Amino acid sequence: MQDSVPDAAPLLLVEEAEPGVALLTLNRPHARNALSRELIAAVHREIERLGNDPKIAAIVLAANGKVFSSGHDLKELTAHRSDADGGLAFFRDTMQACSAMMLAIVACPKPVIAAVEGRATAAGCQLVATCDLAVASEAADFATPGVNIGLFCSTPMVALSRNVPRKRAMEMLLLGEALSAADAVSYGLVNRVTPAGDVRSEAIGMARAIAAKSKATVAIGKAAFYRQADMPLGDAYAFASEVMVENMMKLDAAEGICAFIEKRAPDWKDA
């Protein structure tokens, strides 16, 4: 099913906000930035492309309009109930495509920062939880309200339960109530809250700070963080110790340590 966008505007805007910082903007404001199959594919494609772009150090993911993302495109899903199989194949393919896109964000060697100006619900909330960092407007809120319409937010649950305490996650999933930006910070779902209108600049500022560091070191650290997170404690320390040793052998580690000792700015080689 093709997306219908006024004036044939692209579903995803891609630009370089400043040197080293890519800005991806969901651009379906008329549809509350619902994650259609086409938009999911576009985000997945750009995350992988930017992850392989040596000029890019960090990615900011924002959205146009009052809603960051309302989650899956329920109209698109419902239209496929008239398929011969009742929509089964399309539903399965959509959930698999969305999960693959979320996994691409985690696997991306560049940190991805969500800039949430408005509401993020269901798979939109999942998208925020999946990003490495998140900044939210004071007016933003978050919810996994699928239970209210008979469709439990099972895939959003995966990212949510890995970011907030278990009982908080169950509260959101079972009650379907909106979580304020202030509560989202206290729960650990987002990192910072800003006044309305300042979200993108704050997120770009965080990306700028990351861009000033060694890309190679950041990539090593991000990959190691997610890999060790699900390991038993002893295994995590053994794995992290090896990562530290391998990191020490990199050119940027030698340069960074020398620069620190010599009290000068490092000259990163990203290697």
Side-chain angles (χ1 to χ4, degrees):
M1 181 177 181
Q2 292 297 308
D3 215 321
S4 176
V5 181
D7 301 323
L11 303 179
L12 183 69
L13 304 179
V14 184
E15 58 189 301
E16 190 170 2
E18 55 184 58
V21 178
L23 175 63
L24 300 182
T25 306
L26 306 181
N27 193 39
R28 297 189 71 206
H30 61 289
R32 297 165 60 87
N33 290 311
L35 298 175
S36 64
R37 283 284 292 276
E38 198 172 349
L39 181 54
I40 289 169
V43 173
H44 191 160
R45 181 171 59 250
E46 287 301 322
I47 288 291
E48 290 194 334
R49 184 184 69 80
L50 293 167
N52 291 315
D53 187 337
K55 300 188 301 296
I56 297 301
I59 303 165
V60 173
L61 181 60
N64 284 334
K66 297 180 179 179
V67 177
F68 176 78
S69 176
S70 59
H72 285 293
D73 189 329
L74 298 180
K75 291 182 179 179
E76 181 181 64
L77 293 171
T78 299
H80 283 270
R81 288 197 181 277
S82 59
D83 293 353
D85 62 356
L88 177 64
F90 187 81
F91 300 160
R92 178 173 288 126
D93 289 347
T94 298
M95 298 307 155
Q96 290 176 347
C98 189
S99 295
M101 181 263 286
M102 301 290 177
L103 287 169
I105 291 174
V106 174
C108 180
K110 317 296 172 64
V112 182
I113 306 170
V116 188
E117 192 67 60
R119 173 162 290 187
T121 59
C125 184
Q126 176 186 4
L127 185 56
V128 176
T130 299
C131 288
D132 304 297
L133 300 171
V135 180
S137 160
E138 292 172 340
D141 60 23
F142 306 83
T144 47
V147 68
N148 297 329
I149 60 170
L151 183 64
F152 199 84
C153 285
S154 298
T155 45
M157 169 183 70
V158 175
L160 187 66
S161 66
R162 283 162 169 74
N163 280 263
V164 305
R166 181 171 296 184
K167 282 188 168 54
R168 295 298 195 186
M170 287 297 286
E171 180 180 357
M172 291 180 68
L173 292 161
L174 291 172
L175 299 183
E177 297 174 344
L179 185 72
S180 70
D183 283 340
V185 168
S186 69
Y187 286 14
L189 181 59
V190 303
N191 299 87
R192 301 177 184 179
V193 175
T194 72
D198 291 347
V199 169
R200 289 195 195 192
S201 61
E202 180 71 16
I204 290 171
M206 294 173 77
R208 184 186 308 123
I210 292 168
K213 307 179 194 312
S214 158
K215 295 185 185 70
T217 301
V218 169
I220 289 169
K222 175 174 172 177
F225 177 87
Y226 288 112
R227 186 168 173 188
Q228 64 80 34
D230 294 324
M231 291 180 179
L233 186 61
D235 292 346
Y237 269 116
F239 166 72
S241 294
E242 283 303 308
V243 171
M244 285 286 285
V245 170
E246 292 175 11
N247 194 167
M248 280 290 292
M249 300 303 294
K250 298 292 185 181
L251 290 176
D252 278 355
E255 166 62 14
I257 292 170
C258 286
F260 176 79
I261 292 171
E262 296 168 7
K263 296 181 173 56
R264 61 174 174 82
D267 179 19
W268 302 127
K269 305 302 181 185
D270 296 323

